Amino acid sequence: MLKPPTRIIGLIDMDCFYAQVEQREKPELWGKPVAVVQPSGPRGALGGVIALSYEARRAGVKRGMMVPQVKACCSEVNICVVPFGEHADKPDINKYRLASAEVFEIINTFDERIVVEKASVDEAFLDLTQLVEEMIATEGRDEALRRYASEWKTIFPTSHLAEGADKNDSYNREESFERWITGHCATDFRHLSILVAGEVIEQLRAAILSKTQFYCSGGVATNKMMAKLVCGRHKPRQQTLMPHEYASNILDKTSIQDVRFLGGKFGQSVCNRFGIETMGQLAAINLSKLEESFPAQARWLYEVARGHDEEVVKTRNLLGSVTVSKQFPGKRALAKIDDIQFWITGLSKELCKRLHEDQNANKRTATSLILSFCTTNWKQYSKTLSMVSYNPDDIYEIAWGALKLLNKATDKKNWEPPLGVLTLSSSRFVGGVLSGTRTLKNWMKEGGETSNIEKKLPAIVSSRVDDQGWEVFNPDDLEDVNTEAVNAPWETGLGSSVLPNALGYDPAFLNELPEDIRAELLHEQRLNEAKVLQVKHKPIDAKVEAKGNPKQRQKKKADLPVDEPPKKKIKDFFKKD
Ligand code: CTP
Ligand code: CA
Ligand code: CA
């Protein structure tokens, strides 16, 4: 028997987020079809669509389309191009990140009894259990019910009850809502709790709108999976509430691929294995059958199919790292020393710019610098170095100083083997701000202006090194570096999207993606890592001096299947050229 749910969970998801950021910047675009597209090079042709206003969606424009296709669907479309970074030749998503920070500032300070978990750039899970309990206790159940009965139209202007029929043509929002308030909510505390949470989410969404001009949608249910699912039910600018009682009504007709963590390859393999499409069909499969095919995930699948999900909302706010990265796919791989120096210079400047913004916004200072790169044969290397200052020249010196020892080419011009991805990532934050003149080392010695952030962090400099000071990317080691990565509940170990991955997605970009898409990409990445780790680790021959007495580490072998990288629909989102 599954335990009856005891929590009240909300999800806020911004509507067509990047498109709204563009609309706020150019107010004449509100109410118009807008498509945000990726630049593919400073002067090159434009990349694919990554965000669309709902007006553009109504005209048939889809994510991933290229500009000519978009214009063919909708001739009056307004195209907004993601800007290029000032220092590095790559898309700069900073303005969306800053807009996201505005939204999170409101969510995080709305009520201290709400536990907030940032799930992506435009999405947060909220545990409302404590707040709702206290609200009902303070106002009194009967008083709350009286207030709702007379004022529900103004308290719940955008709320829907998800009971199954809310997707029928004959659905009437107000009728259905009023019937629920005066019926189930009056007699069943669990329904009333969902309703009260709905009031909180209406208010929070109104606060976000009035302070930022951004619209969002909301979901309320008894767990994360259902809150996320119902949030999408009446998008945009609406919210949907689901008491647990209606979970099977909703799930019966829900496509498996629409459920959190089932949108990708894993969900597809579940569908294929049993020849099913809906969550209702999944619920008809018994636990032992599930265990035969998916031993690690069977229990989770069994519960989710019945509308249960135990995953807790974890406080997650600040990003654990600031990362800049650049890919050099195929023939663009870097094979000249000059080019590598040029890019490290650009990335160092870009990283500094980002670090200063982070410092202003979050009053913290990074103490470690991770240099990582990928060679064209997919080998990934990383090295943790100490930050000296927030000065691009210093960062360049440290990064190039470490990298230059690895060149296998014998002449002074070329670089062997060519590099496919270069990444600089800063992490290990301590509380406080380093002023311009002091070095980080002295500041640290003096004790910094340390706050409690420091206490939560692991030791400052890692020595995850082999005898030559480098290691092949082992994701298990990096959990403490980045708090943003999202694993499916049955997965453990893969804790980071800091490093460039074998698929070549930009990690900084990855971090901002919706969690489902990111989880899917990380899954792919995992398969590739299995490959990387199976190649017996032999660092590039180099005259690297092993510093100090580095700890020898036994590399963990990944017991993962090794597949060819799958060709998947999410690839389309990332179309480059
Ligand atoms: N995003 C992206 N690349 C993707 C998917 C999403 O850059 N492959 C960005 C989008 O530009 C988007 C933001 O992440 O604005 C949030 O994604 P998501 O919530 O999935 O979509 P929205 O555009 O916000 O649209 P919706 O109203 O459906 O939530
Ligand atoms: Ca969104
Ligand atoms: Ca989202």
Side-chain angles (χ1 to χ4, degrees):
M1 264 303 277
L2 293 166
K3 281 185 276 167
T6 53
R7 290 178 287 148
I8 307 290
I9 308 296
L11 177 88
I12 298 271
D13 183 277
M14 306 307 294
D15 297 325
C16 53
F17 187 48
Y18 289 11
Q20 285 201 82
V21 173
E22 298 295 337
Q23 287 171 316
R24 185 178 71 168
E25 196 175 294
K26 303 186 197 80
E28 67 277 12
L29 297 183
W30 286 114
K32 304 252 172 70
V34 171
V36 181
V37 302
Q38 283 233 62
S40 62
R43 287 170 292 279
L46 297 173
V49 168
I50 57 168
L52 287 164
S53 71
Y54 278 76
E55 292 76 11
R57 294 181 204 196
R58 279 194 279 276
V61 184
K62 298 261 169 354
R63 202 178 255 176
M65 279 184 178
M66 305 304 278
V67 172
Q69 235 182 326
V70 173
K71 289 192 168 152
C73 277
C74 177
S75 54
E76 69 276 28
V77 70
N78 298 277
I79 304 282
C80 301
V81 183
V82 177
F84 256 91
E86 205 180 307
H87 303 296
D89 162 25
K90 61 199 282 298
D92 180 358
I93 50 177
N94 213 30
K95 70 169 160 180
Y96 311 114
R97 234 183 239 134
L98 293 173
S100 167
E102 286 177 53
V103 172
F104 277 91
E105 173 70 17
I106 299 161
I107 299 177
N108 286 324
T109 54
F110 192 69
D111 190 301
E112 60 183 15
R113 290 166 290 183
I114 304 178
V115 180
V116 179
E117 176 177 329
K118 180 175 175 178
S120 80
V121 72
D122 81 328
E123 207 169 306
F125 285 106
L126 314 173
D127 190 324
L128 303 161
T129 316
Q130 187 195 347
L131 175 62
V132 165
E133 268 173 25
E134 291 185 17
M135 281 172 72
I136 300 176
T138 311
E139 188 177 12
R141 195 194 76 122
D142 294 343
E143 191 50 45
L145 282 168
R146 258 195 300 277
R147 187 167 57 85
Y148 291 142
S150 62
E151 294 169 42
W152 66 271
K153 280 194 185 177
T154 45
I155 300 173
F156 300 100
T158 62
S159 289
H160 298 253
L161 172 68
E163 28 77 296
D166 57 313
K167 281 295 200 185
N168 295 349
D169 290 342
S170 59
Y171 166 66
N172 179 316
R173 184 186 84 84
E174 296 201 341
E175 261 176 41
S176 145
F177 211 77
E178 187 173 25
R179 206 179 321 122
W180 180 51
I181 291 183
T182 52
H184 279 101
C185 292
T187 55
D188 189 331
F189 201 78
R190 291 166 303 179
H191 285 254
L192 179 64
S193 301
I194 295 284
L195 182 67
V196 172
E199 180 178 13
V200 175
I201 298 295
E202 285 275 12
Q203 287 172 357
L204 175 53
R205 290 177 44 244
I208 294 172
L209 177 63
S210 76
K211 291 182 187 160
T212 67
Q213 302 178 43
F214 296 140
Y215 290 92
C216 61
S217 298
V220 175
T222 50
N223 58 54
K224 288 167 104 171
M225 184 271 295
M226 291 304 309
K228 166 91 183 162
L229 182 65
V230 298
C231 176
R233 221 168 147 86
H234 296 281
K235 238 178 186 283
R237 303 184 183 189
Q238 309 285 309
Q239 63 179 48
T240 307
L241 319 182
M242 196 210 74
H244 180 67
E245 192 172 322
Y246 302 130
S248 63
N249 295 4
I250 305 300
L251 288 170
D252 271 353
K253 296 195 187 106
T254 297
S255 156
I256 289 174
Q257 304 264 310
D258 289 343
V259 172
R260 183 163 178 254
F261 299 125
L262 291 174
K265 201 174 145 65
F266 174 61
Q268 192 57 57
S269 55
V270 172
C271 294
N272 296 345
R273 174 65 191 77
F274 301 112
I276 55 174
E277 281 168 15
T278 66
M279 292 299 283
Q281 291 170 315
L282 182 63
I285 298 168
N286 65 33
L287 185 58
S288 50
K289 265 243 155 66
L290 294 172
E291 274 164 348
E292 277 167 28
S293 305
F294 301 99
Q297 301 92 346
R299 185 76 215 170
W300 182 83
L301 284 171
Y302 179 85
E303 291 179 3
V304 161
R306 285 155 184 77
H308 287 260
D309 168 28
E310 290 293 312
E311 194 189 315
V312 290
V313 176
K314 295 172 285 293
T315 313
R316 183 191 279 165
N317 180 11
L318 296 178
L319 281 162
S321 67
V322 173
T323 301
V324 295
S325 180
K326 172 73 186 163
Q327 306 159 57
F328 310 95
K331 290 198 180 119
R332 284 191 257 157
L334 301 181
K336 296 242 183 312
I337 290 176
D338 277 358
D339 289 343
I340 293 173
Q341 289 177 330
F342 174 82
W343 284 109
I344 294 184
T345 307
L347 288 171
S348 299
K349 287 183 184 162
E350 192 73 20
L351 181 70
C352 273
K353 185 176 146 223
R354 293 267 317 278
L355 281 172
H356 281 294
E357 284 162 358
D358 174 81
Q359 203 172 39
N360 286 336
N362 301 318
K363 308 287 173 261
R364 61 178 187 169
T365 301
T367 62
S368 77
L369 175 71
I370 300 172
L371 165 68
S372 43
F373 62 92
C374 199
T375 58
T376 40
N377 58 3
W378 293 138
K379 273 201 178 182
Q380 303 177 37
Y381 295 82
S382 76
K383 185 164 189 170
T384 304
L385 306 153
S386 297
M387 287 285 282
V388 177
S389 74
Y390 275 17
N391 176 337
D393 296 338
D394 290 340
I395 291 179
Y396 172 88
E397 286 302 325
I398 297 169
W400 175 243
L403 186 64
K404 70 180 179 197
L405 304 170
L406 301 188
N407 191 4
K408 272 176 93 176
T410 43
D411 60 331
K412 292 214 162 84
K413 264 193 163 158
N414 292 310
W415 185 278
E416 266 294 314
L419 304 184
V421 186
L422 260 178
T423 301
L424 288 177
S425 173
S426 284
S427 59
R428 307 284 159 102
F429 291 96
V430 295
V433 173
L434 166 69
S435 70
T437 50
R438 280 185 293 173
T439 66
L440 189 54
K441 207 168 148 194
N442 288 339
W443 182 70
M444 293 293 294
K445 253 193 228 150
E446 293 157 21
E449 289 145 46
T450 48
S451 74
N452 58 359
I453 301 180
E454 188 180 27
K455 298 195 187 74
K456 290 187 209 140
L457 291 163
I460 279 161
V461 179
S462 108
S463 59
R464 293 191 307 260
V465 287
D466 64 10
D467 50 349
Q468 300 205 308
W470 288 87
E471 78 171 350
V472 173
F473 175 25
N474 180 351
D476 292 344
D477 290 342
L478 288 158
E479 222 144 9
D480 54 350
V481 174
N482 189 339
T483 55
E484 273 291 282
V486 171
N487 296 336
W490 60 85
E491 284 183 329
T492 50
L494 183 73
S496 176
S497 54
V498 167
L499 294 176
N501 47 82
L503 295 170
Y505 296 125
D506 176 341
F509 192 60
L510 254 188
N511 269 345
E512 306 299 328
L513 292 177
E515 59 167 356
D516 269 18
I517 293 171
R518 200 167 58 224
E520 177 63 16
L521 290 172
L522 289 170
H523 178 77
E524 276 191 48
Q525 183 180 340
R526 231 174 171 213
L527 298 179
N528 283 282
E529 281 153 11
K531 252 190 220 169
V532 173
L533 294 170
Q534 279 176 4
V535 177
K536 193 175 175 314
H537 170 45
K538 191 166 182 304
I540 299 178
D541 293 336
K543 307 127 254 171
V544 183
E545 291 161 25
K547 276 195 196 142
N549 182 20
K551 214 174 7 167
Q552 295 276 352
R553 283 179 60 98
Q554 191 72 37
K555 290 277 170 311
K556 287 177 203 148
K557 284 271 182 303
D559 54 349
L560 289 162
V562 177
D563 289 357
E564 281 310 303
K567 293 191 175 42
K568 298 179 0 24
K569 63 175 196 279
I570 44 177
K571 282 248 160 74
D572 297 341
F573 290 148
F574 291 92
K575 269 192 196 135
K576 283 275 145 71
D577 302 312

